[in-house]
Amino acid sequence: SSRAKRFERGESNVTFEDVAGLANAKRDLQEIAGYLKDPEHYRRLGAKIPKGILLMGPPGTGKTLLAKALAGESDVPFFSISGSEFIEMFVGVGASRVRDMFASAKKEAPSIIFIDEIDSVGRARGTGLGGGHDEREQTLNQILGEMDGFDPHEAVVVVAATNRPDVLDAALLRPGRFDRKITLDLPDKKARKAILQIHSREVPLADDVDFERLSALTVGFAGADLENLINEAALLAGREDMEAVDMACMMQARDKVVLGSEREMVIGD
Ligand code: ATP
């Protein structure tokens, strides 16, 4: 029930090795991982670590994956909640969940808090389409209040994700809040190839599978689409009673993913 699911706490075994491309993002987060692994060391040096990191990028480009990889790489617990869940809550519930989550994360520090879809609570005030407005504002204020209240050496890093940075309330982006921004782009050809390879690690492949060619034929695909492509190809091979996935399966799966996302776009508009 939604009552029991206040927020999720997890351990992650994902690391930066599971993330293809995104070299700049990984480099920035590597620095944070270094801190989370040994906050005492940084404390002795008087170094202040960013409290809030905003991951910005189109859907399926690996924002959640990166946040999990940061947790796995640092070997710290990971607390997560999605902004869109707050919208359905009664006034006050969102704020109390935020409070509980920050309290748990501090108790288990060093730790990471991940807030997915921050734009659903963090939209600029006064742009709402009515409904849930108070709730949103209270939740947002609670998040900001918690971050402002951090001890400067509190070893809790808050990572938030959005694909709508343009609608965010400026209050979120002020110094001391989400002042470290990381942009994730759609993968280029080389990154697409690497993503296809990562997601077919456990898939038996026929000799004719050519990831170089497949990566050239998947312009505009996000990581999530590429993962989906590999899975669709494997399902197809299963249906055809094949022992390995061949290039024909990959190409058919590619067309299916293209059609699927076109349909979504039509419905989404
Ligand atoms: P959304 O905005 O829709 O929440 P997101 O940016 O958080 O999307 P993820 O949930 O991290 O995207 O990505 C979905 C899946 O796509 C991941 O679990 C992963 O398997 C795959 N994926 C995305 N980007 C990459 C990448 N760079 N390397 C490897 N896998 C990737």
Side-chain angles (χ1 to χ4, degrees):
S1 80
S2 66
R3 201 166 245 283
K5 194 173 152 267
R6 305 184 66 79
F7 51 81
E8 307 250 10
R9 183 201 177 285
E11 311 285 336
S12 169
N13 47 24
V14 177
T15 67
F16 289 136
E17 255 182 59
D18 300 298
V19 183
L22 305 174
N24 294 342
K26 283 198 272 186
R27 196 201 47 228
D28 286 356
L29 292 176
Q30 200 84 57
E31 205 189 316
I32 309 286
Y35 163 73
L36 286 168
K37 275 187 220 161
D38 190 2
E40 255 318 306
H41 182 208
Y42 286 73
R43 195 168 305 163
R44 284 195 302 273
L45 292 166
K48 287 206 196 80
I49 286 295
K51 295 189 254 191
I53 296 157
L54 185 64
L55 302 178
M56 311 183 294
T61 45
K63 298 182 289 296
T64 307
L65 181 70
L66 260 183
K68 285 196 177 143
L70 176 62
E73 200 76 32
S74 324
D75 200 18
V76 302
F78 178 82
F79 297 83
S80 69
I81 199 159
S82 173
S84 62
E85 289 164 31
F86 292 125
I87 301 305
E88 287 138 41
M89 293 176 191
F90 294 110
V91 173
V93 175
S96 85
R97 278 188 199 188
V98 167
R99 195 180 317 119
D100 290 350
M101 180 169 67
F102 274 80
S104 302
K106 283 185 200 175
K107 208 180 298 162
E108 293 194 46
S111 60
I112 290 168
I113 288 178
F114 178 60
I115 306 174
D116 202 3
E117 301 178 62
I118 184 97
D119 46 279
S120 42
V121 287
R123 261 167 204 271
R125 287 162 247 213
T127 61
L129 300 168
H133 197 248
D134 285 351
E135 177 53 25
R136 234 189 26 222
E137 210 150 295
Q138 281 192 21
T139 306
L140 175 60
N141 288 339
Q142 189 70 35
I143 293 170
L144 297 177
E146 294 286 350
M147 290 178 77
D148 291 345
F150 274 160
D151 178 283
H153 296 297
E154 200 98 61
V156 177
V157 172
V158 186
V159 180
T162 184
N163 46 42
R164 295 297 312 275
D166 52 313
V167 303
L168 292 183
D169 197 305
L172 272 168
L173 309 174
R174 275 195 206 121
R177 292 170 174 176
F178 294 97
D179 53 5
R180 191 65 86 85
K181 296 172 201 71
I182 299 180
T183 303
L184 314 189
D185 294 313
L186 283 172
D188 62 12
K189 180 163 173 282
K190 191 164 158 246
R192 291 196 297 275
K193 186 176 176 189
I195 294 171
L196 288 165
Q197 282 166 332
I198 282 181
H199 290 287
S200 52
R201 284 190 295 215
E202 318 260 289
V203 176
L205 299 173
D207 291 339
D208 71 341
V209 170
D210 181 351
F211 283 134
E212 187 65 32
R213 194 164 150 244
L214 202 53
S215 63
L217 294 170
T218 46
V219 175
F221 279 48
D225 302 323
L226 295 165
E227 180 182 22
N228 195 9
L229 185 162
I230 296 291
N231 191 52
E232 288 293 344
L235 288 171
L236 201 65
R239 249 183 339 256
E240 302 282 319
D241 223 9
M242 295 159 70
E243 291 306 319
V245 175
D246 66 7
M247 193 62 176
C249 292
M250 295 287 192
M251 291 305 291
Q252 221 175 309
R254 172 200 170 271
D255 293 345
K256 189 167 178 192
V257 173
V258 170
L259 286 174
S261 61
E262 275 168 10
R263 200 167 314 126
E264 254 169 51
M265 266 187 255
V266 171
I267 294 167
D269 285 348

